[in-house]
């Protein structure tokens, strides 16, 4: 029985609660200095793939009623190392890999922009006789510094163009967008 499997048994019980297969323990055997759960003490030499595999395995082990000694600490060490490597790769800046979704909330009379499922901002409008009036642009405080106004307004103007509507910018943010982006001025109501 491996060290990790032996650590998972109770003192009087001989059946392991969750055991690691021989394949899983041999992956860790390439590192000579290991903790009690089989994770190497020096994570610098480990690949990102190894770190991810160990974190998944340890997560399963610490989910038990009585996880082995050191499993939680090893899981946190691996998580911290993965985070450190991700931050080093991105230069400490936030990841820009988010999912954006733009939609027209016709019932609420506003165009909405979502990032990773969270509402970032909206543009309130009224529509009449082929003209869409952009009354107010609201960006939530958490996204204020990420400059979502440009993305939001660009989507609003393109959505209006697809519907063959002329836009009339009433709010200062919409007016500023049309001043800064003259290529969209032809889509406004003259």
């Amino acid at each position: 029985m491996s060290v990790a499997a032996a650590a998972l048994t109770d003192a009087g019980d001989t059946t392991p609660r969750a055991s690691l297969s021989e394949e899983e323990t041999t992956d860790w055997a390439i590192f000579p200095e290991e903790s009690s759960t089989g994770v190497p003490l020096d994570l610098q030499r480990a690949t990102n793939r190894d770190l991810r595999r160990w974190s998944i395995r340890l997560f399963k082990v610490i989910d038990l009623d009585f996880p082995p000694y050191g499993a939680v600490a090893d899981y946190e060490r691996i998580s911290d190392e993965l985070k450190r490597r991700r931050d080093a790769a991105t230069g400490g800046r936030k990841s820009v890999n988010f999912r954006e979704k733009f939609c027209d909330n016709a019932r609420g009379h506003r165009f909405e922009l979502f990032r990773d499922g969270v509402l970032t901002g909206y543009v309130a409008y009224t529509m009449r006789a082929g003209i869409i009036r952009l009354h107010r642009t609201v960006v939530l405080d958490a996204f204020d510094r990420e400059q979502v106004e440009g993305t939001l307004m660009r989507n609003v103007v393109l959505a209006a163009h697809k519907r063959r509507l002329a836009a009339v910018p009433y709010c200062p943010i919409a007016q500023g967008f049309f001043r800064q982006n003259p290529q969209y001025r032809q889509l406004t109501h003259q």
Side-chain angles (χ1 to χ4, degrees), residues 15-179:
T15 59
R17 293 178 190 257
S19 63
L20 301 176
S21 68
E22 281 301 314
E23 175 189 322
E24 294 171 343
T25 56
T26 56
D27 290 344
W28 296 349
I30 59 173
F31 298 97
E33 300 169 350
E34 299 176 347
S35 67
S36 63
T37 58
V39 176
L41 297 175
D42 181 24
L43 297 176
Q44 299 296 324
R45 297 184 341 207
T47 64
N48 286 346
R49 182 178 181 205
D50 287 335
L51 291 173
R52 282 190 225 102
R53 287 179 21 212
W54 294 333
S55 76
I56 291 169
R57 290 177 190 148
L58 281 172
F59 186 78
K60 292 176 183 176
V61 170
I62 64 174
D63 196 32
L64 299 171
D65 289 335
F66 302 103
Y69 177 76
V72 175
D74 285 343
Y75 178 77
E76 290 173 353
R77 277 190 322 116
I78 290 172
S79 297
D80 291 343
E81 178 65 19
L82 283 169
K83 183 179 183 308
R84 185 194 66 76
R85 289 182 183 188
R86 185 186 66 231
D87 289 345
T90 60
R93 63 185 186 279
K94 286 186 177 180
S95 174
V96 293
N97 296 332
F98 47 78
R99 294 182 183 173
E100 280 190 342
K101 182 180 179 191
F102 176 79
C103 63
D104 178 12
N105 182 351
R107 182 176 248 174
H109 301 285
R110 65 187 198 178
F111 291 106
E112 300 171 335
L113 180 68
F114 293 88
R115 281 192 179 167
D116 291 330
V118 177
L119 179 68
T120 60
Y122 64 88
V123 177
Y125 68 85
T126 56
M127 205 177 335
R128 187 173 185 191
I131 297 174
I132 186 165
R133 292 166 184 83
L134 308 174
H135 295 289
R136 183 174 42 136
T137 302
V138 176
V139 175
L140 295 161
D141 292 337
F143 301 96
D144 195 27
R145 294 190 178 162
E146 295 183 24
Q147 300 179 354
V148 290
E149 295 96 354
T151 305
L152 181 60
M153 289 306 302
R154 191 173 305 105
N155 284 318
V156 166
V157 171
L158 293 176
H161 177 66
K162 285 179 187 176
R163 295 165 132 184
R164 300 179 193 266
L165 299 171
V168 178
Y170 284 114
C171 79
I173 293 175
Q175 292 170 356
F177 174 79
F178 283 109
R179 270 193 306 276

